[in-house]
Amino acid sequence: MKNLEAFRSLISKPAAVVIVTHFKPDADALGSSLGLAALLKKLGHQVSVITPSDYPDFLAWLPGNETVLALAKDNPAPEAKAAALIAKAEIIFCLDFSNLTRINSLGDMIRAASATKVLIDHHLEPEQFAAYEQWDPASASTAGLIFELIEELGLKESVDAAIATCLYAGLMTDTGSFKHNNTRHREFEIASELVSRGADPHTIAQKIYDANSLERLRLTGYVLSEKLVVLPQYRTAYMMLSQEELKKFGAQTGDTEGLVNYGLSIKNVTLSVLMYDRKEEIKLSFRSLGNFSVNELARKHFEGGGHRNAAGGSTKLTLTQTLNKLLEILPLYQQQLVQD
Ligand code: 5GP
Ligand code: MN
């Protein structure tokens, strides 16, 4: 962090702290939040973790999960509580996202809040709204950035097994279990530090990856056998899921996570796209290999963004219109897609 000494003094006396992460948090978002929350509590702060939406059951075991205030579509109570916490917060940490529009109503509350804002994130093209930033797009995970900040502050000895577990969960998932091209030597160093402090790789992997419901596994089978389409001329694979299909498989939050990766596992596929109907919007997930930037694709055409090889977006179109839009866009990128 650039202004580390000022940040050190900011957190040197107990304060009312709010930690916020992105809509539909994943393991990096939630693990970072809970890991940082536990550390700040140890330093004497009063900490609340707020999520703009619910999140998958396979994250509910993370230490500290029971303290999370999650906003809900059909219940205004948590939102009112969140507004009060944000208004009286002295420090607000924004983790694993860098654009206040990604957190719905919480974005405006945070913009208006008098608290000192701190951004810790690794997504491309961040919005400038924070007084302090621990931002590095080369880092595979926000959890890793939090560990590095803890290290810079000389607080490594405060990292206990619970904190290490939360941070390892984020590091493991955002690197695709240390196999995505964002996995540097540094990720292994951080992983090693976390494991030496009590994170157990097997248990964490099992709790996150081997927690499928039968319905979720059947949904995966259905998508692979019926819904996966390959367009060899664009080296692209796509999958599309309607509300009816999701309902048929009793899909819960998080059940579609990871599906998009199957597209990229096909030989000669450079771009994989998952589109599904979230009722209020069509959500898109993009993955690519090599130089093809899905951050750019998502940002330009689907109101989204992310990283070069993993990004997301959304549309207010119908599912069919969304597919048509994608099919119109692909020819613009054909050369880039077949080059890699
Ligand atoms: P996923 O496809 O797993 O939902 O997201 C892939 C990456 O893109 C993650 O780093 C995620 O935070 C980011 N991302 C997903 N959806 C959006 C979006 O709508 N806007 C932005 N800016 N980033 C997104
Ligand atoms: Mn992340």
Side-chain angles (χ1 to χ4, degrees):
M1 180 175 285
K2 267 187 235 137
N3 30 8
L4 185 69
E5 289 319 309
F7 180 73
R8 191 194 301 281
S9 95
L10 176 75
I11 61 161
S12 65
K13 47 190 180 306
V17 175
V18 163
I19 298 176
V20 184
T21 187
H22 60 75
F23 191 75
K24 297 283 174 186
D26 55 13
D28 190 32
L30 197 68
S32 295
S33 300
L34 292 174
L36 179 65
L39 181 96
L40 292 172
K41 281 178 190 168
K42 275 191 165 182
L43 299 179
H45 298 283
Q46 201 191 324
V47 189
S48 309
V49 174
I50 303 173
T51 62
S53 71
D54 64 341
Y55 48 83
D57 275 347
F58 60 77
L59 299 180
W61 63 275
L62 283 169
N65 170 69
E66 65 288 349
T67 65
V68 174
L69 175 64
L71 269 51
K73 252 191 274 181
D74 39 14
N75 179 3
E79 187 162 344
K81 207 169 160 192
L85 287 168
I86 288 170
K88 78 167 182 37
E90 292 159 271
I91 312 174
I92 299 178
F93 285 87
C94 295
L95 304 190
D96 201 41
F97 73 97
S98 48
N99 198 309
L100 289 174
T101 56
R102 262 198 93 193
I103 54 172
N104 300 349
S105 59
L106 293 180
D108 291 332
M109 293 180 205
I110 291 177
R111 229 184 269 281
S114 61
T116 303
K117 288 143 208 170
V118 185
L119 173 87
I120 307 180
D121 184 45
H122 63 140
H123 289 93
L124 294 167
E125 301 176 57
E127 182 184 335
Q128 307 283 314
F129 65 88
Y132 297 91
E133 291 182 352
Q134 182 86 344
W135 177 77
D136 184 0
S139 180
S141 68
T142 296
L145 289 174
I146 288 176
F147 184 79
E148 288 183 330
L149 181 59
I150 292 172
E151 208 170 34
E152 285 175 40
L153 291 165
L155 294 172
K156 239 166 41 171
E157 296 321 309
S158 303
V159 176
D160 57 25
I163 298 172
T165 297
C166 289
L167 297 182
Y168 185 93
L171 181 59
M172 177 188 80
T173 51
D174 266 26
T175 54
S177 300
F178 305 96
K179 70 182 173 60
H180 293 336
N181 67 358
N182 57 5
T183 311
R184 308 161 299 172
H185 180 227
R186 187 73 185 123
E187 272 62 43
F188 287 104
E189 285 178 341
I190 296 170
S192 162
E193 293 266 15
L194 295 173
V195 172
S196 74
R197 285 171 170 74
D200 181 50
H202 173 65
T203 307
I204 296 170
Q206 213 178 22
K207 285 185 171 167
I208 289 185
Y209 297 130
D210 298 338
N212 283 324
S213 62
L214 183 59
E215 287 88 347
R216 183 183 181 192
L217 211 55
R218 297 248 193 259
L219 173 68
T220 304
Y222 170 69
V223 169
L224 297 184
S225 73
E226 311 287 331
K227 306 298 296 185
L228 183 57
V229 179
V230 178
L231 305 171
Q233 70 276 33
Y234 302 118
R235 293 199 183 162
T236 293
Y238 72 83
M239 297 154 248
M240 210 163 65
L241 280 167
S242 68
Q243 262 188 65
E244 294 68 43
E245 289 168 315
L246 290 166
K247 215 177 275 165
K248 184 175 159 200
F249 289 92
Q252 306 291 315
T253 294
D255 280 2
T256 52
E257 218 173 273
L259 283 177
V260 65
N261 294 310
Y262 285 104
L264 273 196
S265 72
I266 304 166
K267 204 172 169 180
N268 289 328
V269 166
T270 303
L271 169 67
S272 176
V273 186
L274 169 71
M275 295 162 269
Y276 63 97
D277 197 336
R278 232 187 215 168
K279 234 185 230 172
E280 61 275 20
E281 62 183 16
I282 304 295
K283 176 72 193 164
L284 295 102
S285 272
F286 303 97
R287 297 292 184 272
S288 68
L289 287 179
N291 291 328
F292 188 78
S293 171
V294 284
N295 170 57
E296 192 189 313
L297 185 76
R299 214 168 267 274
K300 239 188 191 154
H301 305 283
F302 297 102
E303 294 166 43
H307 311 284
R308 187 182 61 187
N309 297 121
S314 60
T315 70
K316 294 284 181 199
L317 304 170
T318 65
L319 201 52
T320 314
Q321 287 168 334
T322 305
L323 173 63
N324 288 339
K325 181 169 176 174
L326 177 74
L327 296 177
E328 278 166 27
I329 289 165
L330 284 176
L332 308 175
Y333 292 95
Q334 187 170 28
Q335 256 188 337
Q336 279 186 55
L337 283 164
V338 299
Q339 237 166 38
D340 283 325

